[in-house]
Amino acid sequence: MLGVSASIAAYKAVAIASQLTQQGALVDVIMTPEAAELVRPLSFEAITHRPVAFEMFRLIDSEIAHVALARSADVFLVAPATAHTIAKLAIGLADDLVSATALSCQAPQLLAPAMESGMWQHPATVDHVKTLRERGWTIVEPGVGHLASGAVGEGRLAEPEQIVDVTKHVLARGGDLAGWRVTITAGGTREPLDPVRFLSNRSSGKMGLALAEAARDRGADVTLIWTSGADSVPHGVQLVEVEQAEEMRAAVLAALPRTDLLVMAAAVADYRPAEAVGQKIKKASGMLALDLAPTVDVLQEVSKVRGPDDRTIVVGFAAETESVLDNARKKLVDKRLDLVVANDVTIQGSGFGSDFNQVSILQEGEPDIDLPLLPKIEVAHHVYDAVLRMSGASRDPSAEFRA
């Protein structure tokens, strides 16, 4: 349920409806009469292929509109939410279809405010927002930017992508990974050579971000251990930033005692400069020789600390260029993994830097799961499907399993 109130930012609600629809949601749009003056209901109907409601006194399938609409909602989002609408929601007024539906709705509720800075910062608005938070509403904080008045300040409607991301997080609370604590590593570690150079690899971290988003969307409590440079982390995911392999080792071992599922998607450097130089190495004629020392093997360290009664599930990734499945099976056994995801990084359009991946999921004693080239978010869901099949967990994993 998308409630639209009369902010000039109402045109962005069309983009919100579009993104939700494209991701498989059935979106019912309701509007205040004033919002319908700013954006025609037909715009939403063309996007959602569903009728828009904005008249307070009407029937839907012989039922009162706000009652029928409230009952059908899995989540109720008000975007944009004006200061006037926020005030009505806080004190329980119900004089238009949006506020009446909100008062009747038992589904999770969230709103995205949009207004001038003075209105957003006014004590009355601050108190109303606090009241709604205390009642369980999720608030998608407004941003700072150009406002309708021409001024620049706080109060700008959050971007549609952010609003949709928060909505997905709210919807995820009943997912099949609800109650699970999932730790994911992502990106390529960086081993310093001097103050301006480092040794690294081609990993972009996109697979790890997809794994974090998919776990979040299935209800998990997600920690993402990410090498420096994260620019867009899914809402609700706890971020731990690291750079070197040793830092990743420390972060993983610190998270392990409170982790039900560890997914090691990071590309950890195998070697580091034996000694990092304190000053920039100047270019000179002739060859430059570097002494390299092996880095810590994070998965091997995890294997060492896992006791026989440890119920943490560990999934590894094996990015290979030759003998892909053989190398992955060796990693599965040597590192005591529950699953390993093997991918041939030489396949065109797959692997490092791409939004797609072609992988095989291996489990000891079970047939390999060979997937075609898929978006990384779909690969992530296949990985979690395999984890749930392997664990034998139900939709609501028992406390005993999560130990």
Side-chain angles (χ1 to χ4, degrees):
M1 188 70 59
L2 174 59
V4 183
S5 64
S7 163
I8 196 64
Y11 73 94
K12 289 187 178 180
V14 179
I16 296 169
S18 177
Q19 290 187 28
L20 288 168
T21 301
Q22 290 178 42
Q23 296 194 34
L26 296 177
V27 183
D28 284 319
V29 177
I30 56 177
M31 308 177 73
T32 65
E34 295 81 9
E37 296 291 324
L38 294 171
V39 180
R40 293 185 63 189
L42 180 61
S43 299
F44 292 101
E45 292 177 342
I47 292 295
T48 65
H49 308 290
R50 298 172 72 82
V52 172
F54 58 92
E55 297 172 343
M56 180 68 167
F57 302 106
R58 60 166 293 188
L59 298 179
I60 296 179
D61 295 330
S62 301
E63 288 191 89
I64 298 171
H66 69 271
V67 176
L69 291 165
R71 187 185 301 123
S72 69
D74 295 301
V75 64
F76 184 39
L77 163 65
V78 182
T82 62
H84 183 65
T85 294
I86 289 172
K88 289 198 293 184
L89 296 176
I91 63 177
L93 294 182
D95 61 349
D96 60 43
L97 193 55
V98 172
S99 58
T101 304
L103 200 60
S104 184
C105 186
Q106 300 300 308
Q109 296 172 309
L110 63 159
L111 59 83
M115 65 196 73
E116 283 291 309
S117 299
M119 300 173 74
W120 173 245
Q121 296 163 0
H122 192 281
T125 305
V126 172
D127 286 346
H128 292 323
V129 170
K130 180 182 178 182
T131 295
L132 291 173
R133 285 189 197 276
E134 291 171 349
R135 291 180 187 160
W137 282 75
T138 298
I139 312 299
V140 187
E141 296 287 340
V144 176
H146 287 279
L147 306 174
S149 66
V152 175
E154 188 179 18
R156 179 185 175 91
L157 181 70
E159 292 304 313
E161 294 80 6
Q162 180 185 357
I163 295 170
V164 170
D165 195 43
V166 177
T167 304
K168 290 168 65 177
H169 183 214
V170 171
L171 278 167
R173 293 169 182 168
D176 55 7
L177 288 179
W180 287 55
R181 297 157 298 183
V182 178
T183 299
I184 298 161
T185 66
T189 57
R190 298 175 174 182
E191 305 299 329
L193 174 61
D194 65 20
V196 298
R197 301 181 180 94
F198 55 82
L199 296 183
S200 189
N201 53 62
R202 298 182 184 274
S203 177
S204 64
K206 289 184 176 182
M207 189 67 244
L209 282 175
L211 286 159
E213 180 180 351
R216 188 279 313 268
D217 287 352
R218 296 173 80 143
D221 179 5
V222 182
T223 298
L224 177 65
I225 301 174
W226 170 275
T227 55
S228 300
D231 56 355
S232 179
V233 176
H235 178 80
V237 170
Q238 179 182 352
L239 178 66
V240 177
E241 291 192 83
V242 298
E243 184 167 287
Q244 301 176 47
E246 182 57 44
E247 294 171 346
M248 181 165 286
R249 168 192 172 277
V252 169
L253 294 183
L256 199 58
R258 58 180 185 276
T259 295
D260 300 305
L261 170 61
L262 172 64
V263 185
M264 293 286 294
V268 182
D270 295 318
Y271 293 93
R272 60 174 176 81
E275 182 179 357
V277 181
Q279 301 296 325
K280 178 183 176 182
I281 300 173
K282 298 298 183 181
K283 184 177 181 180
S285 60
M287 303 290 288
L288 174 66
L290 295 177
D291 290 328
L292 301 179
T295 60
V296 63
D297 189 326
V298 180
L299 269 178
Q300 197 68 56
E301 292 289 309
V302 170
S303 175
K304 289 178 181 178
V305 301
R306 291 176 72 196
D309 297 326
D310 192 321
R311 300 195 179 195
T312 301
I313 298 171
V314 180
V315 177
F317 272 68
E320 303 288 347
T321 59
E322 60 180 355
S323 304
V324 175
L325 295 182
D326 289 341
N327 287 329
R329 287 192 183 93
K330 186 175 187 304
K331 189 171 189 176
L332 179 70
V333 174
D334 291 350
K335 306 296 175 65
R336 294 178 56 213
L337 303 176
D338 296 288
L339 294 174
V340 67
V341 182
N343 63 298
D344 185 342
V345 296
T346 66
I347 295 175
Q348 186 71 26
S350 175
F352 295 143
S354 173
D355 292 324
F356 295 83
N357 221 346
Q358 183 173 330
V359 307
S360 295
I361 303 174
L362 282 63
Q363 177 186 349
E364 193 169 6
E366 296 293 333
D368 297 346
I369 301 171
D370 299 317
L371 300 176
L373 188 66
L374 294 171
K376 287 183 174 178
I377 189 68
E378 293 187 28
V379 172
H381 282 293
H382 279 286
V383 171
Y384 295 129
D385 290 343
V387 167
L388 288 172
R389 283 193 299 270
M390 181 201 65
S391 69
S394 64
R395 185 171 179 80
D396 181 18
S398 68
E400 179 185 359
F401 173 79
R402 294 197 298 272

